[in-house]
Amino acid sequence: MNRASGDSARAGEARQGVPANTGRVDLHAHTNVSDGTDSPTALIAAAVRAELDVVAITDHDSTAGWDEAAEAARSAEVRLVRGAEISVVHHGLSVHLLAYLFDPADPDLLGQLSRVRSARLDRARSMVDLIGRDYPITWDGVQEWTTPGTTVGRPHIADALVASGSVSSRDEAFTSILASDGPYYVPHFAIPARAAIRGVRAAGGVPVIAHPGAEQRGRTLSDAAVADLTSAGLAGLEVDHRDNDAATRERLRRLAESLGLLVTGASDYHGTGKRNRLGENTTRPEALSEILRQAYGVALI
Ligand code: AMP
Ligand code: ZN
Ligand code: FE
Ligand code: FE
């Protein structure tokens, strides 16, 4: 396997060539650093079992899993794209922004991510206060499903609800108690999308909108909004994702083509926390090459 591009690259010197063996590329996966259930080491092992050639670690609003994943990937037959899935907002609409290969020490981005994580913590406590009036869960109980530093999200509250016998699965929690239009939902601060995109680019990263057609999560970005974000530096759209239906994928593919955006595909794997399986959707090697060409924050491992 070609290991020519190490991980020591720093901003400005990590423009990368096309790696060998990039047949199966999955650019969206979570670990227990956020709301996945695999450790970063276990994610790498799962990627090998899924016969991926490249996997991206993209925890919500955090790079805390990068070092462990990198260590595991160095001795495994899979290459690692270090990334994150950033909580952003565009004209009141909640959007997930995948960011690849940015400099994790960039002060501006670091500050923004830490602000989102702390807002998520306050928000989770507020939701648990509300839910705790009607269901037998406590903040201490929710924390048992996290470790210090975890990006806390509704899935951890779901785990406590399952443990208390209130629901039978994360899925059931999301369609009932945790629903975003339900009485217990509390929003949290997210970074304005244009600022986040510019921040990712300034840190040498490559920004891609996650599941842009996931209608079941709520309203989605209009074509005009995607064009607006493209003018801020957006690089691509995650078209092939289970939450985008077939007609939506076709619309997004045409939109990407007309705006000169990359098309990616990925699983959004969360371990046992969701049904999504590694490699169920993949990114064409040509799109990965273009991401590598544009990135200068950190290198592919
Ligand atoms: P939050 O970011 O805290 O609002 O929670 C949303 C996150 O929960 C998303 O990133 C999803 O990955 C995850 N999620 C959404 N629906 C489900 C589900 N049915 N089961 C498990 N996880 C889910
Ligand atoms: Zn998630
Ligand atoms: Fe997402
Ligand atoms: Fe995700």
Side-chain angles (χ1 to χ4, degrees), residues 28 85 93-98 208-223 225-226 229 234 236-245 248-249 251-253 255-256 261-266 268:
H28 186 164
E85 184 175 17
L93 198 68
S94 162
V95 175
H96 287 177
L97 185 72
L98 292 161
V208 172
I209 302 277
H211 43 72
E215 318 264 345
Q216 68 286 359
R217 297 180 192 227
R219 210 156 48 87
T220 58
L221 291 169
S222 66
D223 290 6
V226 174
L229 297 179
L234 184 67
L237 298 177
E238 188 186 50
V239 173
D240 293 308
H241 183 291
R242 66 158 64 201
D243 293 351
N244 302 329
D245 67 28
T248 303
R249 291 187 199 192
R251 172 178 71 80
L252 291 170
R253 245 183 269 285
L255 180 63
L261 292 169
L262 291 167
V263 166
T264 69
D268 205 355

Side-chain angles (χ1 to χ4, degrees), residues 30 35 60-61 85 87 96 120 123 127 152-155 158 169-175 185-186 188 211 217 268 270 273-275:
H30 297 266
D35 55 3
H60 295 287
D61 308 306
E85 184 175 17
S87 308
H96 287 177
R120 279 176 157 283
R123 172 266 201 152
M127 285 189 68
V152 184
R154 281 180 286 166
S169 64
R170 278 189 177 185
D171 273 344
E172 190 190 333
F174 267 88
T175 54
Y185 186 79
V186 176
H188 62 79
H211 43 72
R217 297 180 192 227
D268 205 355
H270 282 68
K274 269 185 136 176
R275 294 166 197 277

Side-chain angles (χ1 to χ4, degrees), residues 3-266:
R3 297 264 160 179
S5 50
D7 71 326
S8 60
R10 283 288 164 259
E13 44 179 82
R15 302 237 177 236
Q16 297 156 60
V18 183
N21 306 328
T22 52
R24 262 165 70 75
V25 179
D26 186 338
L27 290 182
H28 186 164
H30 297 266
T31 75
N32 59 8
V33 159
S34 62
D35 55 3
T37 57
D38 287 358
S39 67
T41 303
L43 169 65
I44 297 302
V48 171
R49 284 196 305 276
E51 300 183 344
L52 293 179
D53 297 299
V54 180
V55 68
I57 179 172
T58 54
D59 279 304
H60 295 287
D61 308 306
S62 179
T63 60
W66 281 20
D67 288 352
E68 185 187 322
E71 177 72 24
R74 281 189 193 97
S75 55
E77 285 294 299
V78 66
R79 307 201 65 175
L80 176 68
V81 170
R82 287 167 289 178
E85 184 175 17
I86 307 179
S87 308
V88 307
V89 60
H90 191 60
H91 300 307
L93 198 68
S94 162
V95 175
H96 287 177
L97 185 72
L98 292 161
Y100 299 116
L101 302 166
F102 56 89
D103 175 2
D106 181 85
D108 180 45
L109 203 52
L110 200 64
Q112 297 279 8
L113 294 180
S114 133
R115 184 170 171 200
V116 177
R117 286 197 305 275
S118 103
R120 279 176 157 283
L121 197 58
D122 293 343
R123 172 266 201 152
R125 292 186 80 121
S126 303
M127 285 189 68
V128 171
D129 283 347
L130 290 173
I131 296 168
R133 294 175 189 170
D134 297 330
Y135 297 91
I137 63 164
T138 61
W139 180 240
D140 280 352
V142 171
Q143 280 182 295
E144 282 174 32
W145 299 97
T146 68
T147 51
T150 302
T151 303
V152 184
R154 281 180 286 166
H156 304 106
I157 305 176
D159 291 342
L161 286 165
V162 173
S164 74
S166 306
V167 293
S168 62
S169 64
R170 278 189 177 185
D171 273 344
E172 190 190 333
F174 267 88
T175 54
S176 59
I177 304 168
L178 298 177
S180 52
D181 56 359
Y184 305 110
Y185 186 79
V186 176
H188 62 79
F189 166 80
I191 310 169
R194 290 183 60 94
I197 288 168
R198 282 195 297 262
V200 168
R201 286 290 196 184
V206 181
V208 172
I209 302 277
H211 43 72
E215 318 264 345
Q216 68 286 359
R217 297 180 192 227
R219 210 156 48 87
T220 58
L221 291 169
S222 66
D223 290 6
V226 174
D228 179 36
L229 297 179
T230 303
S231 72
L234 184 67
L237 298 177
E238 188 186 50
V239 173
D240 293 308
H241 183 291
R242 66 158 64 201
D243 293 351
N244 302 329
D245 67 28
T248 303
R249 291 187 199 192
E250 274 325 299
R251 172 178 71 80
L252 291 170
R253 245 183 269 285
R254 282 197 302 272
L255 180 63
E257 165 100 48
S258 76
L259 294 171
L261 292 169
L262 291 167
V263 166
T264 69

